[in-house]
Amino acid sequence: RELFKLLHKLPTEEGQEVISRLKIADDPIQVLRSVQDASLLINNPNSSSCSALLDSRLERLDLLALRESAIRVDAKPWTAVAGDGIVSELVSSFFNWDDAFYLPFLDREAFLEEMRAGNVATAKYCTPFLVNAICADRSYTCRRTRAFSGISKKDLADEFFNEAKKLLHLENGRVSIPTVQGLTLLFSIACYRGTDKLGGLYRRSAYDMFHQLNVDAMYARIKDDPLAARERRVL
Protein backbone atom coordinates (compact mmCIF):
# COMPACT_ATOMS: atom_id res chain seq x y z
CA ARG A 1 0.00 0.00 0.00
CA GLU A 2 2.84 2.41 0.85
CA LEU A 3 4.52 1.60 -2.45
CA PHE A 4 1.31 2.28 -4.37
CA LYS A 5 0.89 5.66 -2.66
CA LEU A 6 4.49 6.57 -3.40
CA LEU A 7 4.26 5.60 -7.08
CA HIS A 8 1.06 7.62 -7.37
CA LYS A 9 2.88 10.74 -6.14
CA LEU A 10 6.05 10.37 -8.20
CA PRO A 11 6.53 11.92 -11.67
CA THR A 12 6.09 9.40 -14.50
CA GLU A 13 9.81 9.10 -15.26
CA GLU A 14 10.76 8.47 -11.64
CA GLY A 15 7.90 6.00 -11.21
CA GLN A 16 9.16 4.02 -14.20
CA GLU A 17 12.66 3.98 -12.73
CA VAL A 18 11.30 2.61 -9.43
CA ILE A 19 9.43 -0.16 -11.26
CA SER A 20 12.60 -1.06 -13.16
CA ARG A 21 14.48 -1.35 -9.88
CA LEU A 22 11.76 -3.53 -8.38
CA LYS A 23 12.03 -5.98 -11.28
CA ILE A 24 15.66 -6.76 -10.48
CA ALA A 25 15.59 -6.29 -6.71
CA ASP A 26 16.07 -9.14 -4.25
CA ASP A 27 14.44 -7.10 -1.49
CA PRO A 28 11.48 -4.93 -2.64
CA ILE A 29 11.13 -3.48 0.87
CA GLN A 30 14.65 -2.09 0.65
CA VAL A 31 13.78 -0.49 -2.68
CA LEU A 32 10.75 1.14 -1.07
CA ARG A 33 12.85 2.50 1.79
CA SER A 34 15.52 3.89 -0.51
CA VAL A 35 12.91 5.62 -2.66
CA GLN A 36 11.25 7.08 0.43
CA ASP A 37 14.64 8.34 1.61
CA ALA A 38 15.27 9.84 -1.82
CA SER A 39 11.95 11.67 -1.74
CA LEU A 40 12.78 13.16 1.64
CA LEU A 41 16.20 14.26 0.46
CA ILE A 42 14.88 15.81 -2.74
CA ASN A 43 12.41 17.80 -0.66
CA ASN A 44 15.33 18.85 1.51
CA PRO A 45 18.02 19.82 -1.03
CA ASN A 46 20.33 21.14 1.69
CA SER A 47 20.92 17.60 2.92
CA SER A 48 24.54 16.55 2.49
CA SER A 49 23.42 13.05 1.41
CA CYS A 50 21.16 14.23 -1.41
CA SER A 51 23.80 14.38 -4.13
CA ALA A 52 25.27 11.00 -3.24
CA LEU A 53 21.86 9.32 -3.26
CA LEU A 54 20.91 10.82 -6.60
CA ASP A 55 24.25 9.68 -8.00
CA SER A 56 23.58 6.13 -6.81
CA ARG A 57 20.16 6.13 -8.47
CA LEU A 58 21.66 7.32 -11.75
CA GLU A 59 24.41 4.73 -11.49
CA ARG A 60 21.89 1.93 -11.00
CA LEU A 61 19.86 3.17 -13.94
CA ASP A 62 22.98 3.23 -16.11
CA LEU A 63 23.97 -0.29 -15.04
CA LEU A 64 20.49 -1.58 -15.86
CA ALA A 65 20.69 0.04 -19.29
CA LEU A 66 24.06 -1.60 -19.92
CA ARG A 67 22.75 -4.99 -18.85
CA GLU A 68 19.80 -4.81 -21.23
CA SER A 69 21.58 -3.27 -24.24
CA ALA A 70 21.98 -5.40 -27.35
CA ILE A 71 25.15 -3.47 -28.20
CA ARG A 72 27.61 -2.61 -25.43
CA VAL A 73 30.17 0.14 -25.91
CA ASP A 74 32.25 2.48 -23.77
CA ALA A 75 31.00 6.05 -23.62
CA LYS A 76 34.47 7.53 -23.29
CA PRO A 77 36.44 8.85 -25.09
CA TRP A 78 33.50 9.62 -27.39
CA THR A 79 31.20 11.42 -24.97
CA ALA A 80 31.12 12.52 -21.34
CA VAL A 81 27.40 13.36 -21.33
CA ALA A 82 26.31 9.94 -20.00
CA GLY A 83 27.75 6.61 -18.91
CA ASP A 84 28.38 3.36 -20.74
CA GLY A 85 24.87 2.01 -20.12
CA ILE A 86 22.88 4.95 -21.45
CA VAL A 87 25.20 5.37 -24.44
CA SER A 88 25.05 1.63 -25.19
CA GLU A 89 21.26 1.71 -25.10
CA LEU A 90 21.09 4.72 -27.41
CA VAL A 91 23.54 3.22 -29.91
CA SER A 92 21.60 -0.06 -29.80
CA SER A 93 18.36 1.81 -30.38
CA PHE A 94 19.83 3.72 -33.31
CA PHE A 95 20.93 0.61 -35.16
CA ASN A 96 17.70 -1.18 -34.30
CA TRP A 97 15.42 1.59 -35.56
CA ASP A 98 16.86 4.64 -37.33
CA ASP A 99 19.68 2.92 -39.18
CA ALA A 100 17.52 -0.04 -40.12
CA PHE A 101 14.47 1.82 -41.38
CA TYR A 102 14.83 5.60 -41.50
CA LEU A 103 18.49 6.55 -42.04
CA PRO A 104 20.36 3.46 -43.30
CA PHE A 105 23.53 5.36 -44.15
CA LEU A 106 25.95 4.21 -41.47
CA ASP A 107 27.98 1.01 -41.65
CA ARG A 108 27.34 -0.71 -38.35
CA GLU A 109 30.37 -2.98 -38.41
CA ALA A 110 32.91 -0.26 -39.20
CA PHE A 111 31.38 2.19 -36.73
CA LEU A 112 31.24 -0.23 -33.81
CA GLU A 113 34.69 -1.62 -34.49
CA GLU A 114 36.21 1.84 -34.18
CA MET A 115 34.01 2.91 -31.27
CA ARG A 116 35.05 -0.16 -29.29
CA ALA A 117 38.71 0.41 -30.16
CA GLY A 118 38.42 3.80 -28.46
CA ASN A 119 41.11 5.53 -30.52
CA VAL A 120 39.76 8.90 -31.61
CA ALA A 121 43.00 9.83 -33.37
CA THR A 122 42.96 6.92 -35.82
CA ALA A 123 39.21 6.37 -36.28
CA LYS A 124 37.84 7.10 -39.76
CA TYR A 125 34.17 6.21 -39.40
CA CYS A 126 33.44 6.98 -35.75
CA THR A 127 33.95 10.43 -34.23
CA PRO A 128 32.86 12.13 -30.99
CA PHE A 129 30.63 14.42 -33.05
CA LEU A 130 28.85 11.50 -34.72
CA VAL A 131 28.45 9.56 -31.45
CA ASN A 132 26.86 12.54 -29.70
CA ALA A 133 24.61 13.19 -32.70
CA ILE A 134 23.43 9.56 -32.63
CA CYS A 135 22.77 9.74 -28.89
CA ALA A 136 20.91 13.03 -29.26
CA ASP A 137 18.79 11.58 -32.06
CA ARG A 138 17.66 8.59 -30.01
CA SER A 139 17.31 10.40 -26.67
CA TYR A 140 14.05 12.03 -27.69
CA THR A 141 12.21 8.71 -27.85
CA CYS A 142 14.13 6.61 -25.32
CA ARG A 143 12.24 5.82 -22.11
CA ARG A 144 15.40 5.32 -20.09
CA THR A 145 16.90 8.69 -20.98
CA ARG A 146 13.65 10.34 -19.91
CA ALA A 147 13.90 8.55 -16.57
CA PHE A 148 17.55 9.60 -16.28
CA SER A 149 16.62 13.20 -17.06
CA GLY A 150 13.81 13.08 -14.51
CA ILE A 151 16.22 12.09 -11.76
CA SER A 152 19.15 14.32 -12.72
CA LYS A 153 16.95 17.29 -13.70
CA LYS A 154 19.03 17.63 -16.86
CA ASP A 155 17.58 16.98 -20.30
CA LEU A 156 19.89 14.36 -21.80
CA ALA A 157 18.58 14.96 -25.31
CA ASP A 158 19.55 18.62 -25.07
CA GLU A 159 22.88 17.73 -23.44
CA PHE A 160 23.83 15.41 -26.29
CA PHE A 161 22.56 17.86 -28.91
CA ASN A 162 24.54 20.76 -27.44
CA GLU A 163 27.65 18.60 -27.15
CA ALA A 164 27.31 17.57 -30.79
CA LYS A 165 27.02 21.22 -31.85
CA LYS A 166 30.12 22.11 -29.83
CA LEU A 167 32.11 19.27 -31.38
CA LEU A 168 30.93 20.23 -34.86
CA HIS A 169 32.29 23.73 -34.28
CA LEU A 170 35.62 22.27 -33.13
CA GLU A 171 35.89 20.25 -36.34
CA ASN A 172 36.24 23.60 -38.10
CA GLY A 173 34.76 22.48 -41.40
CA ARG A 174 36.76 19.25 -41.71
CA VAL A 175 35.29 17.21 -44.57
CA SER A 176 34.63 13.58 -43.67
CA ILE A 177 32.02 10.86 -43.97
CA PRO A 178 31.15 10.90 -40.22
CA THR A 179 30.65 14.66 -40.35
CA VAL A 180 28.17 14.35 -43.22
CA GLN A 181 26.34 11.62 -41.31
CA GLY A 182 26.29 13.67 -38.12
CA LEU A 183 25.02 16.76 -39.94
CA THR A 184 22.20 14.68 -41.41
CA LEU A 185 21.25 13.58 -37.91
CA LEU A 186 21.34 17.17 -36.63
CA PHE A 187 18.99 18.11 -39.46
CA SER A 188 16.61 15.36 -38.36
CA ILE A 189 16.83 16.48 -34.72
CA ALA A 190 16.24 20.13 -35.60
CA CYS A 191 13.10 19.15 -37.50
CA TYR A 192 11.91 17.13 -34.51
CA ARG A 193 12.53 20.12 -32.24
CA GLY A 194 10.68 22.44 -34.60
CA THR A 195 13.72 24.59 -35.38
CA ASP A 196 13.34 24.42 -39.15
CA LYS A 197 15.70 27.29 -39.94
CA LEU A 198 18.55 25.65 -38.05
CA GLY A 199 17.68 22.32 -39.64
CA GLY A 200 17.95 23.87 -43.07
CA LEU A 201 21.49 25.02 -42.30
CA TYR A 202 22.50 21.51 -41.24
CA ARG A 203 20.93 19.99 -44.34
CA ARG A 204 22.72 22.44 -46.62
CA SER A 205 26.03 21.83 -44.86
CA ALA A 206 25.61 18.07 -45.21
CA TYR A 207 24.74 18.43 -48.90
CA ASP A 208 27.73 20.67 -49.64
CA MET A 209 30.16 18.47 -47.73
CA PHE A 210 28.86 15.32 -49.41
CA HIS A 211 29.66 16.83 -52.80
CA GLN A 212 33.09 17.89 -51.60
CA LEU A 213 33.80 14.28 -50.67
CA ASN A 214 33.15 13.18 -54.28
CA VAL A 215 32.09 9.70 -53.20
CA ASP A 216 31.95 8.38 -56.77
CA ALA A 217 35.61 9.19 -57.29
CA MET A 218 36.51 7.70 -53.91
CA TYR A 219 34.76 4.47 -54.82
CA ALA A 220 36.34 4.33 -58.27
CA ARG A 221 39.81 4.44 -56.71
CA ILE A 222 39.18 1.40 -54.51
CA LYS A 223 36.62 -0.66 -56.43
CA ASP A 224 39.17 -3.27 -57.51
CA ASP A 225 41.34 -3.20 -54.40
CA PRO A 226 40.99 -6.53 -52.54
CA LEU A 227 42.16 -4.84 -49.33
CA ALA A 228 39.50 -2.13 -49.42
CA ALA A 229 36.36 -4.21 -48.84
CA ARG A 230 35.42 -2.28 -45.71
CA GLU A 231 35.87 1.09 -47.41
CA ARG A 232 33.69 0.01 -50.34
CA ARG A 233 31.00 -1.16 -47.94
CA VAL A 234 31.05 2.14 -46.06
CA LEU A 235 30.73 4.15 -49.27
Side-chain angles (χ1 to χ4, degrees):
R1 184 177 297 177
E2 288 183 41
L3 179 59
F4 177 79
K5 290 180 180 179
L6 185 60
L7 288 172
H8 186 70
K9 293 178 182 178
L10 287 173
T12 302
E13 293 84 357
E14 294 186 27
Q16 290 173 340
E17 197 265 337
V18 171
I19 292 172
S20 297
R21 289 170 59 187
L22 286 169
K23 288 181 178 179
I24 62 172
D26 295 325
D27 185 356
I29 300 301
Q30 183 59 41
V31 173
L32 172 61
R33 288 173 180 168
S34 67
V35 174
Q36 288 173 326
D37 291 342
S39 297
L40 290 172
L41 289 169
I42 290 171
N43 291 327
N44 180 20
N46 293 324
S47 170
S48 60
S49 302
C50 182
S51 178
L53 183 56
L54 288 177
D55 287 347
S56 69
R57 294 172 67 195
L58 295 175
E59 183 179 354
R60 284 193 292 271
L61 188 63
D62 191 67
L63 288 173
L64 182 61
L66 184 63
R67 182 186 306 174
E68 296 180 354
S69 293
I71 297 172
R72 297 180 182 180
V73 291
D74 292 336
K76 294 180 179 179
W78 309 103
T79 182
V81 173
D84 296 345
I86 294 295
V87 172
S88 293
E89 180 163 297
L90 293 172
V91 170
S92 299
S93 178
F94 175 79
F95 282 109
N96 191 42
W97 297 106
D98 283 21
D99 186 68
F101 300 104
Y102 175 50
L103 296 169
F105 57 61
L106 200 153
D107 186 270
R108 169 175 171 156
E109 183 180 334
F111 175 84
L112 291 178
E113 180 183 339
E114 293 189 347
M115 187 172 186
R116 285 169 173 153
N119 193 332
V120 176
T122 61
K124 294 175 60 179
Y125 305 117
C126 177
T127 65
F129 166 58
L130 179 56
V131 169
N132 281 274
I134 287 173
C135 290
D137 176 68
R138 291 310 304 163
S139 288
Y140 289 99
T141 55
C142 177
R143 176 183 60 82
R144 192 109 54 192
T145 56
R146 292 198 297 271
F148 195 98
S149 298
I151 297 170
S152 66
K153 308 306 178 186
K154 294 181 181 179
D155 191 317
L156 271 187
D158 286 345
E159 294 277 321
F160 279 119
F161 185 58
N162 290 332
E163 182 69 9
K165 289 193 295 182
K166 182 184 77 174
L167 291 167
L168 175 63
H169 177 72
L170 292 175
E171 288 196 358
N172 198 29
R174 181 171 63 92
V175 178
S176 71
I177 290 174
T179 304
V180 173
Q181 294 166 333
L183 283 167
T184 305
L185 287 169
L186 292 192
F187 162 64
S188 175
I189 295 167
C191 292
Y192 181 86
R193 290 160 58 100
T195 52
D196 295 341
K197 185 175 181 180
L198 181 61
L201 293 174
Y202 291 135
R203 180 177 60 179
R204 181 66 184 180
S205 296
Y207 179 83
D208 290 344
M209 190 173 291
F210 178 76
H211 280 274
Q212 290 180 56
L213 282 171
N214 197 353
V215 174
D216 289 339
M218 292 172 64
Y219 187 85
R221 286 194 296 270
I222 62 173
K223 67 177 182 178
D224 298 320
D225 186 348
L227 301 178
R230 187 176 79 150
E231 286 74 11
R232 286 196 298 272
R233 191 178 67 245
V234 169
L235 295 176

